[in-house]
Amino acid sequence: MTIDKNFDPAAIETKWYKHWESENSFRPERPDAPAYTIVNPPPNVTGSLHIGHALDNTLQDIMIRYERLRGKDALWVVGTDHAGIATQMVVERKMEAAGDRRSNYRREDFIKKVWQWKEESGGTITRQLRRLGCSMDWSREQFTMDPHFTQAVTKVFVDLYNKDLIYRDKRLVNWDPKLKTAISDLEVETREINGNFWRFKYPLAADENGNAVTFNGPDGAGQDYIEVATTRPETMLADMAVAVHPDDERYADVVGKYVQLPITGRHIPIVADDHADPELGSGAVKITPGHDFNDFDVGKRAGFAPAEMLNMFDGDANVCQVSDGLIPDEYIGLHRFKRETENGAKIQARELVVKALKELGLLIPHISKNKKGEEVISDAEPRIIQTPYGDRGGVVIEPWLTDQWYVDAQTLAKPAIEAVKNGDIEIVPKTWEKTYFNWMDNIQPWCVSRQLWWGHRVPVWYGPKLEHEFEHEHDCEQVHLVAKDEDEVRNLAAVRYSTTPENILIFNNEEERTTAELQSQNMLKTILVRDNDVLDTWFSSALWPFATLGWPEKNAPLVSKHYPNDLLISGFDILFFWDARMAMQGIEFMGEGGKKPIEQSRPWKTLYLHGLVRAADGQKMSKSKGNVVDPLGLIDEYGADALRFFMAAMESQGRDIKMDDERVKGYRNFATKLWNAARFAQSNGISASQSLSAPTASLAANRWIIGEVQETLITLDKALADLRFDAAANTIYHFTWDRFCDWYLELIKPIIQGDAEASSAQMRSDAEETRQVAGWVLDQILVMLHPFMPFITEELWHAMASSESGKSARNYDIILAKWPAPKAQIDGDAKAEIDWIIAFTSAMRSAKNELGIAPGAKLECIFPNALQGRVNALQSTLERVARIASSSFGDAPDGASMQLVVDGQTIIIPLEGVIDIEAEKARLGKAYEAVNKEAGALKGRLSNENFVARAKPEAVEKAKSDLAEKSSEAERLKTALERLG
RNA sequence: GGGCGUAUAGCUCAGUGGUAGAGCACUACAUUGACAUUGUAGGGGUCGGGAGUUCAACUCUCUCUACGCCCA
């Protein structure tokens, strides 16, 4: 079957992908081969393939295909992430569109709906990964909510709890009032927004005798108030102190006195604390421990326990009554500062507080000057404010005091830091190590509980405290029991409450309990109710490198063979979210708490971080900017192979990639070039090679190209070992196009296209040898290119071996071929000869071009006698490639001629009456100038005593030989010029 | 405020202690011959500014400028 004239990527891609998958080619059985393992960063099950996935997965597929070709037992683990918040949001949005809402359902029913949605719509991204050609092990596709994954997550939670590495704590969390859940520090992004800076007078409270209190005041004039400044006036309803810097003399005599807060009338102390910045505002700052992270710490230092701290917001960030009951009724229920859903139609707490203080005469107005120099009075000074936003919900985060589960990240981070320091985990590019250390060294407790429904439920049950455990009269705090399942918690509880397991009654949630409590027969039993929260999605994905392999099942075979993984490829944007946490959890759990050495516990040997794919103008792609490039569109237009090659070629370490369609197009052209080369080969009787090692060859061109394959292979292997995808792609690109297509195929045309009937036995055998070599080289190209361009290489692999009927004679697919092993030496003589042909041909073409001689013109050449043997042997090649008409040898005849200096020898092309002598003089003159200048520079360097004395001997030698060469060339050009008169 | 990165041809980017490369774009030429998704030849850069180390700096060090990112 002949190769089609047109290369149509779409026509072959689907065909081969289906074939590979049905043949189980992505994971051939190789029980005795060494393992090579990559786990794929699980995309969100809600997701669809974006350009970043295309990059990330292309790089992984290149490595997996490469190692598979090299005979490894290559495993690329694939699966999707349940993506708690993201997925729940998607399903809720869908419900809202249908006029429905989550709160219409019981938790279990809602979760059923999410599963249903997952079954229907969750396959999008996995289908798209297939289109990109990714050779993942779909037979073991994973999902982070699979039962075995839940087992792993639960075990990790319970074990960490038992090791005191997970604990429950009451502290401020980042609360997302839209999603109504706590989120971790990493999920908060700081944005700069335009805000205001208000200044208020807080009146000093009267002393115990009811006498007014004053202090000197900053200006020493005496005042009965202290000035505070704030960007969040509404939180003054929960102020618990005013802080001044301990060294701030302006306020020294007021520390220890009290303020009587306006509106609430609460008496709060003035405290000294380093947090107060004397330079900012008045130097005195209001302290709201319940709604500001800094204030929380100040509050603790001032002696407030977290449980005492005032919390003035509900989960929606609407004002609620605080524990001392001092907030006036008209504030209750108001939103903190903005009604997202009602466009500010209703008055907000912030607005009302400012209004009230203004009416009380306690607002210090801001005075500024307008352009005309007139004074303008306003309530507040405009300021740029660093404001925390939830990365998913997109609303301002409210620091909120709640009980949550925390992972002791600091302890877990230690060995993970060591692993990188000691080189047990290599981060590529190395510059990211500093970022990693910086974050890990300062890591904060990780809040892992989320107030969502979709996710891994926290394996915790709450039971009553026993009477003797009550810390105070109204203590109704419950105790928690942590266990892997209900049976285990029942037994734990039986022990704890000194009863039998049958007397422990377990409820899945408060609602069930309330219903059940109405039934009086349960009154005598001990009741446990399960924690409602689920875990942060990243808590489960941190287990990906081993939970996907079967852990915690005992002696899971995949774990022992494929853990540690060899390589992890991820975007740097999830270094903290995912990579660092995998390192921590991997080392902790696979190291069995320090029992196993780091070589066995680290999740991967190498962590490769790539950059972002940006829009053509360098901007970050985002839906809101509308500059998102769809990788599937690019695949439709140029083919998956071209897109993949683009990704590889652009991936140099440590730089973002700017999208460039033209370049993708260029690689489509490259694929077409290869296609046509194969077509040419096929039409000239060249077909698939029968041997893995290079055929024996006698002709220079053949010996040369075999050596070039060898060199290319060495360069390519080195590039891939170094994870230099750009270098690897460029190596195979240039070999294919510049060496193989541009020179080798041109050089062999006269050999293989000779008239078979008329040719001698020698010519027939030369042609046969050449066909063998050409077929072999093309095979090597296909295999070396396969990791980058899997589809076209598979197609041509078979096409080159197919009979008339279209049946491929290959007994295996290229995806399972063997990586090249030419076992050939680089042939110096052949290389010298072909390099000479190339140099001569290029010189000839260049000269013709400059002298305006038609490129096709066949010219007579007079070579020096020394070249007689070589030129005679290459006569037919030179006729065709360099377009020489006839050759003779010896000295230059009289008359005008074009002269080429190639490799230190002058070749004369007599052109009496044809060439423009002045033009030829100019051409040679220019060449002479250039060479002479280089020779001059070398001469100058060598005449420098310091250079000769101090430079490395090789450098001096190189300079000497370069000088000799350049001088000789200059000499010859000079002679040539003189000959023209 | 702390940290990191980037600055090389018109554009997008490689690069090495011994005086610069690729792709695209551009110019000229070619075209019945695997390939116009082509071929051949060519023009184009004082490697962001300044200082230092060195026989030698685009490359190493310092500094300045501009841009970008992360953390607080």
Side-chain angles (χ1 to χ4, degrees):
Chain A
M1 192 182 65
T2 52
I3 299 170
D4 271 357
K5 184 157 168 47
N6 291 314
F7 164 52
D8 177 13
I12 62 170
E13 289 175 1
T14 320
K15 174 181 79 175
W16 285 117
Y17 199 93
K18 273 191 187 145
H19 173 78
W20 292 326
E21 197 172 353
S22 68
E23 294 285 310
N24 199 29
S25 305
F26 299 149
R27 180 120 173 88
E29 280 205 30
R30 290 176 177 174
D32 301 324
Y36 185 83
T37 314
I38 298 179
V39 295
N40 182 250
N44 288 358
V45 67
T46 58
S48 50
L49 195 78
H50 60 61
I51 200 86
H53 291 125
L55 168 63
D56 193 63
N57 288 287
T58 294
L59 302 182
Q60 292 173 65
D61 197 40
I62 287 169
M63 293 312 292
I64 276 289
R65 285 183 186 266
Y66 172 61
E67 296 293 354
R68 193 187 291 119
L69 289 169
R70 298 214 300 171
K72 300 264 181 70
D73 179 9
L75 168 63
W76 190 9
V77 173
V78 66
T80 48
D81 194 293
H82 69 279
I85 294 180
T87 306
Q88 184 164 325
M89 279 173 72
V90 168
V91 175
E92 285 194 57
R93 262 205 300 271
K94 204 174 143 246
M95 284 180 144
E96 274 164 31
D100 203 353
R101 57 200 306 175
R102 173 165 66 111
S103 51
N104 291 346
Y105 297 86
R106 288 171 56 235
R107 179 181 185 133
E108 288 70 22
D109 296 331
F110 176 77
I111 289 173
K112 266 183 208 152
K113 280 195 166 297
V114 180
W115 277 106
Q116 200 183 339
W117 176 89
K118 190 238 168 199
E119 293 314 316
E120 288 164 8
S121 319
T124 306
I125 195 156
T126 55
R127 279 194 301 278
Q128 292 169 331
L129 284 167
R130 287 172 165 94
R131 284 208 57 199
L132 191 62
C134 296
S135 59
M136 297 140 157
D137 179 17
W138 296 109
S139 70
R140 292 189 63 260
E141 185 175 346
Q142 306 282 309
F143 181 52
T144 51
M145 291 276 279
D146 284 340
H148 77 269
F149 221 99
T150 306
Q151 248 188 343
V153 170
T154 309
K155 179 175 168 56
V156 165
F157 189 99
V158 174
D159 286 0
L160 286 177
Y161 175 81
N162 288 331
K163 287 188 263 191
D164 282 335
L165 292 171
I166 277 189
Y167 55 91
R168 192 157 175 82
D169 196 10
K170 184 188 279 296
R171 41 186 289 170
L172 280 190
V173 295
N174 303 296
W175 184 261
D176 186 318
K178 181 174 177 196
L179 302 170
K180 295 201 222 358
T181 178
I183 59 177
S184 74
D185 297 344
L186 282 177
E187 291 160 282
V188 176
E189 57 181 42
T190 309
R191 297 187 204 161
E192 290 193 336
I193 60 155
N194 293 319
N196 289 302
F197 197 53
W198 286 271
R199 292 154 70 206
F200 299 131
K201 294 176 181 175
Y202 275 10
L204 297 182
D207 64 16
E208 52 272 29
N209 303 320
N211 299 321
V213 172
T214 59
F215 79 115
N216 287 335
D219 56 5
Q223 61 187 46
D224 59 357
Y225 65 89
I226 185 163
E227 179 189 331
V228 297
T230 182
T231 58
R232 295 205 60 189
E234 68 281 7
T235 61
M236 65 92 64
L237 298 173
D239 276 356
M240 297 183 76
V242 169
V244 296
H245 196 274
D247 301 335
D248 194 337
E249 292 183 1
R250 296 172 296 176
Y251 296 107
D253 61 332
V254 79
V255 171
K257 296 194 164 65
Y258 285 79
V259 157
Q260 181 170 18
L261 272 181
I263 302 178
T264 59
R266 182 181 303 125
H267 279 224
I268 62 172
I270 297 169
V271 301
D273 195 287
D274 288 342
H275 167 63
D277 177 3
E279 306 293 320
L280 187 68
S282 65
V285 60
K286 64 192 260 329
I287 300 298
T288 320
H291 300 292
D292 182 286
F293 285 96
N294 287 316
D295 292 7
F296 179 80
D297 292 333
V298 177
K300 278 206 296 194
R301 288 195 288 271
F304 298 109
E308 296 174 77
M309 292 176 184
L310 299 175
N311 182 1
M312 58 168 279
F313 291 120
D314 63 15
D316 291 303
N318 292 331
V319 178
C320 62
Q321 189 53 274
V322 290
S323 55
D324 63 11
L326 292 174
I327 298 181
D329 286 348
E330 70 255 39
Y331 287 88
I332 304 299
L334 297 188
H335 193 263
R336 47 186 176 165
F337 49 79
K338 193 183 170 193
R339 274 271 163 201
E340 276 86 1
T341 52
E342 292 175 23
N343 289 326
K346 194 171 171 182
I347 194 161
Q348 319 131 13
R350 175 174 297 176
E351 198 181 342
L352 195 57
V353 164
V354 171
K355 184 163 166 262
L357 286 163
K358 198 173 177 181
E359 281 166 5
L360 289 166
L362 298 174
L363 174 82
I364 302 170
H366 175 69
I367 299 166
S368 57
K369 288 195 172 156
N370 66 13
K371 283 177 195 159
K372 292 179 191 162
E374 299 157 348
E375 282 195 350
V376 179
I377 298 174
S378 50
D379 286 356
E381 176 190 353
R383 276 209 182 190
I384 304 292
I385 301 170
Q386 307 284 328
T387 309
Y389 280 78
D391 66 352
R392 290 282 171 187
V395 302
V396 177
I397 290 306
E398 189 61 56
W400 211 43
L401 200 58
T402 56
D403 292 301
Q404 300 287 343
W405 290 99
Y406 290 89
V407 168
D408 177 358
Q410 212 177 355
T411 303
L412 290 175
K414 277 185 190 128
I417 293 168
E418 284 307 303
V420 174
K421 276 203 177 126
N422 299 336
D424 295 311
I425 293 175
E426 187 193 6
I427 299 183
V428 180
K430 206 175 167 62
T431 47
W432 284 107
E433 282 185 0
K434 273 199 175 176
T435 310
Y436 175 86
F437 291 137
N438 194 279
W439 188 69
M440 291 288 259
D441 287 340
N442 298 297
I443 198 163
Q444 298 297 308
W446 173 19
C447 175
V448 292
S449 40
R450 296 286 179 277
Q451 289 66 54
L452 303 171
W453 282 356
W454 175 242
H456 292 287
R457 193 101 175 247
V458 176
V460 175
W461 286 261
Y462 297 98
K465 265 191 180 175
L466 298 173
E467 251 176 73
H468 66 84
E469 292 169 329
F470 286 2
E471 284 166 20
H472 50 85
E473 200 181 343
H474 304 291
D475 189 350
C476 58
E477 291 265 332
Q478 295 184 302
V479 294
H480 49 253
L481 294 161
V482 177
K484 73 175 197 294
D485 54 25
E486 290 199 359
D487 286 343
E488 194 175 277
V489 79
R490 191 185 304 280
N491 291 327
L492 273 181
V495 175
R496 186 177 201 288
Y497 295 107
S498 310
T499 180
T500 58
E502 294 73 38
N503 276 329
I504 304 294
L505 199 56
I506 298 176
F507 294 108
N508 209 23
N509 53 46
E510 279 297 328
E511 190 187 325
E512 276 185 19
R513 170 207 175 108
T514 315
T515 315
E517 268 189 349
L518 297 174
Q519 301 166 349
S520 54
Q521 66 266 33
N522 292 325
M523 293 298 279
L524 292 173
K525 296 194 173 176
T526 302
I527 290 172
L528 300 182
V529 180
R530 185 157 188 182
D531 193 318
N532 273 317
D533 293 351
V534 299
L535 288 161
D536 182 3
T537 298
W538 300 103
F539 186 89
S540 49
S541 46
L543 318 181
W544 193 248
F546 50 94
T548 53
L549 300 175
W551 188 91
E553 182 197 315
K554 284 233 159 41
N555 305 319
L558 284 177
V559 175
S560 49
K561 185 160 186 187
H562 292 278
Y563 191 95
N565 310 157
D566 289 85
L567 172 67
L568 185 92
I569 296 185
S570 94
F572 65 77
D573 51 326
I574 52 173
L575 173 61
F576 305 147
F577 276 112
W578 191 48
D579 306 338
R581 285 160 176 173
M582 278 189 283
M584 291 191 268
Q585 297 287 42
I587 293 169
E588 174 66 23
F589 282 90
M590 301 309 287
E592 294 173 7
K595 277 187 225 148
K596 285 191 178 173
I598 189 74
E599 289 78 20
Q600 289 171 43
S601 65
R602 60 184 167 180
W604 0 259
K605 295 160 196 156
T606 305
L607 169 59
Y608 182 90
L609 298 168
H610 58 75
L612 238 57
V613 183
R614 296 176 168 277
D617 60 359
Q619 291 214 30
K620 212 168 158 174
M621 287 187 196
S622 76
K623 280 181 195 160
S624 55
K625 282 184 205 148
N627 60 352
V628 176
V629 174
D630 177 11
L632 298 163
L634 290 168
I635 291 175
D636 288 340
E637 193 167 359
Y638 303 111
D641 286 334
L643 177 62
R644 291 167 59 106
F645 207 87
F646 166 81
M647 290 298 177
M650 297 305 288
E651 178 55 23
S652 59
Q653 291 173 4
R655 200 191 262 262
D656 286 346
I657 294 176
K658 272 183 206 163
M659 199 56 232
D660 182 357
D661 286 19
E662 282 304 303
R663 194 132 181 181
V664 183
K665 188 173 156 192
Y667 293 124
R668 190 272 319 266
N669 294 354
F670 171 62
T672 308
K673 184 79 182 176
L674 176 67
W675 183 268
N676 282 309
R679 211 157 62 85
F680 166 79
Q682 192 185 52
S683 66
N684 283 283
I686 293 163
S687 61
S689 177
Q690 303 298 315
S691 76
L692 289 170
S693 53
T696 40
S698 58
L699 295 177
N702 291 335
R703 288 183 287 142
W704 167 76
I705 197 71
I706 290 168
E708 293 287 306
V709 168
Q710 177 87 327
E711 282 191 9
T712 301
L713 181 66
I714 291 167
T715 312
L716 183 57
D717 279 333
K718 170 82 166 61
L720 288 174
D722 294 344
L723 298 170
R724 284 307 304 251
F725 295 96
D726 56 343
N730 285 328
T731 300
I732 187 68
Y733 177 95
H734 286 294
F735 174 70
T736 304
W737 201 315
D738 303 348
R739 305 276 94 180
F740 184 72
C741 291
D742 286 353
W743 288 107
Y744 180 71
L745 291 184
E746 293 307 321
L747 289 171
I748 66 170
K749 275 178 184 173
I751 306 170
I752 58 170
Q753 291 182 329
D755 188 337
E757 299 294 320
S759 59
S760 65
Q762 181 60 46
M763 286 168 78
R764 283 196 298 274
S765 115
D766 284 352
E768 182 48 31
E769 171 194 304
T770 301
R771 288 196 180 94
Q772 291 292 333
V773 172
W776 179 83
V777 174
L778 187 53
D779 270 8
Q780 310 314 302
I781 288 175
L782 294 178
V783 178
M784 288 191 286
L785 184 59
H786 178 74
F788 304 86
M789 293 190 153
F791 294 111
I792 188 176
T793 50
E794 188 72 88
E795 176 72 17
L796 293 177
W797 175 258
H798 287 290
M800 287 304 294
S802 69
S803 60
E804 295 282 320
S805 66
K807 192 170 161 47
S808 168
R810 303 268 195 194
N811 49 18
Y812 51 86
D813 294 330
I814 200 171
I815 187 174
L816 297 177
K818 285 209 167 58
W819 190 249
K823 293 183 189 146
Q825 295 297 314
I826 288 162
D827 187 323
D829 291 345
K831 188 169 165 55
E833 190 164 317
I834 303 300
D835 283 350
W836 179 82
I837 295 178
I838 292 174
F840 170 59
T841 307
S842 302
M844 182 75 115
R845 287 170 179 167
S846 178
K848 278 177 168 177
N849 203 292
E850 285 187 52
L851 294 181
I853 298 167
K858 294 200 167 186
L859 305 177
E860 271 177 55
C861 295
I862 303 165
F863 295 95
N865 286 322
L867 284 174
Q868 195 156 0
R870 176 180 282 176
V871 171
N872 282 339
L874 296 167
Q875 190 63 39
S876 62
T877 302
L878 293 175
E879 277 174 22
R880 181 126 176 195
V881 177
R883 306 202 69 80
I884 68 175
S886 62
S887 32
S888 55
F889 304 91
D891 295 333
D894 291 337
S897 58
M898 183 168 91
Q899 300 171 75
L900 308 177
V901 176
V902 177
D903 199 16
Q905 286 158 319
T906 308
I907 296 147
I908 315 275
I909 296 110
L911 288 170
E912 180 82 64
V914 177
I915 65 161
D916 177 343
I917 295 184
E918 288 312 309
E920 174 64 355
K921 272 189 191 167
R923 188 182 75 86
L924 290 173
K926 214 168 80 182
Y928 173 75
E929 288 300 319
V931 175
N932 204 36
K933 195 180 155 197
E934 285 183 58
L938 288 162
K939 213 176 283 175
R941 197 190 301 170
L942 282 163
S943 63
N944 178 348
E945 282 172 31
N946 280 326
F947 174 70
V948 181
R950 301 197 197 180
K952 284 176 293 186
E954 308 93 87
V956 178
E957 276 314 302
K958 172 102 178 0
K960 280 182 183 164
S961 69
D962 284 357
L963 176 60
E965 196 184 305
K966 297 291 172 195
S967 305
S968 130
E969 199 180 333
E971 198 52 42
R972 277 168 200 286
L973 284 163
K974 202 174 157 203
T975 311
L977 269 169
E978 283 163 3
R979 200 174 288 137
L980 290 175

